[in-house]
């Protein structure tokens, strides 16, 4: 019969403001479940400080200790529970199976939000903050500034709540969203419309046409434990700490043990489980320790899809190399020139299922707002390299600000600030 749905996900909030919240998930296992759960936690702006992960291939038991990365957004714990339930396999017999809460694989519908307003510093982040608070995910966007300093924002969004309860198709949800945006931005708001996007917008991704030299700098870099991805990153931020992965095939008769030590950062557990999921490596047990002097120690017991330990040296070497790359450089950030304009590029790997990393656009616009840099235009696109697909965020920066973009030092400071915001440093 299984266990009641109310007990599949349990959330116990800390007794004090500095105490972590404990999230427990106890349900049947499925491929990539840990990655899916971590992704949702990251979408809600939570940082995993500890984790225990156990599965026998049939049943999964996971405990997360989480804290809020920022108190600026209101966190709906009930909605978080619904979202975690939505990706957890059902525990009851089919008679009680609720397709709205579990097992639905249908992609949520894409809606087009047209928001016209008077431009000002930090506006794009403020709009993004409202959309994040309302649990919308920005799939694509086009932001344009007119000669008379008006801003036309086209957001292609999906409703995170629709994963557990379909809402955005209702007129009430759309009207409430537009009304809330108008109330928040008051005299800056000119017009706001929200409607179902056409099939061409829902089913197709815009692919970025980056200049060859820019693409090579952004994607084709050789990463090592001692060096950053690009010359720009080496100058912009301190060299990243080493990521050490030690393989032990003797301790367990059924699993390969990976002992990992790396520098802590936001989304670290998600990056590790995402990499395992994409490379079809099953994670059977994880112990994810607390932060000690900025470092994390992890034990991963892994196996192949056939249930056997991994003994192929090349497969192990490739997996360890990819893990190190994702732990050291889960995102790429550079500033370059697009003709006479200054362009900021931020890229992150896309999951094999097609989903990009959560909250990247939110964090980048937050960093630019704090730096006092206005955004002239912005877009989200995809770029394919030989071995993977990337999500690319492209920002044309407004030259009419106090930041001297021609200065190498100023550019490095911008890159460093954005990386620190993205990594939670």
């Amino acid at each position: 019969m299984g266990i009641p749905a109310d007990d599949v996900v349990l959330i116990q909030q800390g007794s004090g403001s500095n105490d972590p919240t404990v999230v427990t998930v106890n349900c049947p296992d499925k491929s990539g479940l840990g990655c899916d759960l971590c992704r949702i936690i990251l979408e809600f702006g939570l940082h995993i400080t500890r984790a225990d992960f156990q599965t026998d291939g049939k049943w999964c038991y996971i405990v997360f200790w989480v804290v809020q990365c920022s108190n600026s957004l209101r966190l709906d714990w009930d909605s978080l529970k619904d979202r975690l339930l939505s990706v957890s396999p059902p525990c009851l017999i089919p008679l009680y199976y609720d397709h709205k809460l579990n097992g639905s694989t249908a992609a949520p519908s894409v809606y087009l939000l047209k928001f016209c307003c008077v431009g000002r510093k930090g506006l794009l982040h403020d709009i993004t903050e409202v959309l994040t608070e309302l649990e919308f995910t920005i799939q694509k966007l086009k932001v344009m500034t007119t000669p008379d300093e008006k801003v036309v924002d086209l957001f292609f969004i999906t409703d995170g709540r629709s994963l557990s309860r379909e809402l955005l198709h209702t007129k009430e949800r759309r009207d409430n969203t537009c009304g809330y945006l108008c109330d928040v931005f008051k005299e800056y708001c000119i017009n706001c419309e929200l409607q179902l996007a056409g099939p061409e917008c829902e089913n197709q991704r815009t692919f970025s046409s980056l200049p060859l030299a820019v693409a090579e700098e952004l994607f084709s870099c050789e990463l090592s434990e001692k060096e950053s991805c690009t010359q720009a990153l080496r100058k912009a931020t301190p060299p990243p700490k080493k990521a050490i992965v030690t393989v032990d095939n003797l301790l367990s008769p059924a699993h390969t043990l990976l002992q990992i030590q790396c520098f802590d950062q936001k989304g670290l557990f998600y990056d590790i489980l995402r990499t395992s999921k994409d490379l079809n490596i099953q994670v059977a047990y994880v112990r994810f320790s607390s932060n000690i002097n900025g470092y994390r120690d992890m034990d991963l017991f892994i196996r192949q899809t056939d249930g056997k330990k991994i003994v192929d040296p090349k497969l192990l070497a490739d997996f360890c190399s990819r893990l190190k790359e994702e732990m050291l450089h889960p995102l790429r950030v550079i500033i370059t020139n697009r003709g006479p304009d200054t362009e900021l590029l931020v890229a992150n790997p896309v999951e094999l299922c097609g989903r990009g990393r959560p909250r990247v656009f939110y964090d980048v616009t937050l960093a630019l707002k704090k730096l006092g840099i206005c955004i002239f235009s912005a877009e989200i696109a995809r770029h394919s390299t030989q071995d993977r697909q990337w999500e690319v965020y492209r920002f044309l920066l407004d030259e009419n600000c106090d930041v001297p973009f021609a200065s190498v030092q100023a550019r490095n400071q911008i890159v460093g600030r954005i990386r620190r915001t993205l990594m939670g440093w």
Side-chain angles (χ1 to χ4, degrees):
M1 293 290 292
I3 61 177
D6 287 345
D7 295 330
V8 172
V9 178
L10 299 175
I11 298 179
Q12 182 180 358
Q13 297 187 45
S15 56
S17 58
N18 295 324
D19 294 331
T21 294
V22 181
V23 179
T24 304
V25 181
N26 186 19
C27 67
D29 194 18
K30 72 172 184 178
S31 177
L33 176 61
C35 173
D36 296 339
L37 296 172
C38 287
R39 177 188 175 81
I40 292 172
I41 289 173
L42 187 58
E43 284 180 353
F44 275 76
L46 294 168
H47 179 55
I48 299 173
T49 61
R50 286 177 55 200
D52 279 335
F53 181 111
Q54 302 178 48
T55 177
D56 59 3
K58 297 180 179 179
W59 199 269
C60 189
Y61 180 78
I62 310 177
V63 182
F64 300 104
W65 287 261
V66 301
V67 296
Q68 287 187 253
C69 298
S70 171
N71 293 322
S72 61
L73 290 175
R74 294 177 296 176
L75 200 153
D76 187 338
W77 293 102
D78 289 335
S79 183
L80 172 63
K81 181 176 181 178
D82 286 345
R83 293 283 301 281
L84 294 174
L85 276 171
S86 72
V87 299
S88 302
C91 300
L92 302 180
I93 61 175
L95 177 63
Y96 304 103
Y97 180 44
D98 186 346
H99 289 273
K100 279 293 184 180
L101 288 179
N102 297 290
S104 176
T105 58
S109 300
V110 178
Y111 286 78
L112 171 61
L113 172 66
K114 300 178 182 179
F115 190 73
C116 302
C117 54
V118 179
R120 62 169 172 80
K121 284 186 178 181
L123 175 66
L124 186 55
H125 173 73
D126 293 341
I127 299 173
T128 303
E129 187 172 47
V130 172
L131 296 179
T132 302
E133 182 181 311
L134 295 173
E135 296 182 45
F136 293 124
T137 299
I138 301 172
Q139 303 292 346
K140 295 190 297 182
L141 84 156
K142 188 71 175 179
V143 176
M144 300 160 287
T145 303
T146 64
D148 57 352
E149 297 187 353
K150 301 288 192 308
V151 178
V152 180
D153 297 329
L154 303 178
F155 293 93
F156 294 88
I157 60 176
T158 54
D159 192 351
R161 296 180 185 178
S162 68
L163 295 175
S164 54
R165 53 191 188 278
E166 187 69 40
L167 291 175
L168 198 49
H169 76 287
T170 65
K171 186 175 184 299
E172 180 182 9
R173 170 75 159 154
R174 297 196 300 271
D175 289 347
N176 288 343
T177 298
C178 290
Y180 187 53
L181 284 165
C182 292
D183 288 342
V184 169
F185 294 99
K186 296 182 174 63
E187 67 274 10
Y188 290 96
C189 178
I190 299 173
N191 184 46
C192 182
E193 300 177 12
L194 181 56
Q195 61 190 25
L196 185 66
E200 69 282 356
C201 298
E202 184 172 350
N203 298 326
Q204 296 182 7
R205 291 281 185 181
T206 301
F207 280 83
S208 178
S209 56
L210 294 172
L212 181 60
V214 174
E216 288 181 350
E217 182 181 8
L218 197 57
F219 305 115
S220 302
C221 49
E222 293 292 330
L223 297 175
S224 71
E225 294 182 357
K226 297 181 179 180
E227 295 180 346
S228 295
C229 173
T230 63
Q231 185 68 24
L233 294 188
R234 285 199 295 270
K235 292 181 178 180
T237 59
K241 306 298 182 180
K242 289 184 178 181
I244 301 173
V245 181
T246 304
V247 179
D248 186 340
N249 250 331
L250 300 177
L251 181 65
S252 170
H255 302 92
T256 297
L257 169 62
L258 298 186
Q259 294 178 307
I260 298 174
Q261 185 184 60
C262 63
F263 200 67
D264 190 26
Q265 58 199 24
K266 183 165 58 178
L268 175 61
F269 199 30
Y270 164 74
D271 289 322
I272 292 173
L273 295 184
R274 170 180 56 82
T275 304
S276 304
K277 178 182 177 182
D278 285 351
L279 296 181
N280 213 20
I281 301 295
Q282 293 184 348
V283 179
Y285 174 82
V286 178
R287 177 162 291 171
F288 187 85
S289 71
S290 300
N291 184 318
I292 301 175
N293 297 324
Y295 277 91
R296 295 279 183 188
D297 289 315
M298 285 167 281
D299 292 332
L300 270 70
F301 287 83
I302 61 175
R303 60 193 175 197
Q304 300 178 107
T305 53
D306 59 6
K308 298 179 180 179
K309 66 165 60 179
I310 305 173
V311 295
D312 183 346
K314 185 178 186 306
L315 180 58
L316 275 173
D318 290 344
F319 182 50
C320 292
S321 176
R322 177 64 69 87
L323 278 177
K324 291 179 183 179
E325 180 179 337
E326 297 301 332
M327 288 187 288
L328 288 174
H329 304 287
L331 298 115
R332 313 291 173 90
V333 185
I334 65 171
I335 290 181
T336 186
N337 294 325
R338 190 200 289 185
D341 300 316
T342 301
E343 183 174 40
L344 167 69
L345 296 169
V346 180
N348 60 268
V350 175
E351 294 181 36
L352 285 184
C353 63
R355 294 179 301 192
R357 187 185 183 89
R359 294 176 71 94
V360 173
F361 192 77
Y362 177 92
D363 287 337
V364 175
T365 53
L366 173 61
L368 292 175
K369 177 182 178 180
K370 290 182 176 180
L371 288 168
I373 297 175
C374 293
I375 301 168
F376 181 77
S377 70
E379 62 179 10
I380 304 175
R382 295 290 173 97
H383 184 92
S384 293
T385 57
Q386 185 175 4
D387 60 341
R388 71 177 85 177
Q389 191 177 109
W390 299 78
E391 193 161 59
V392 182
Y393 298 80
R394 306 184 67 171
F395 302 87
L396 280 184
L397 305 182
D398 194 335
E399 302 284 348
N400 297 321
C401 65
D402 298 329
V403 179
F405 293 127
S407 165
V408 175
Q409 182 179 3
R411 291 190 174 200
N412 290 335
Q413 288 176 348
I414 296 170
V415 170
R417 179 62 173 268
I418 292 170
R419 281 183 54 82
R420 288 193 295 272
T421 302
L422 288 166
M423 297 294 99
W425 294 338

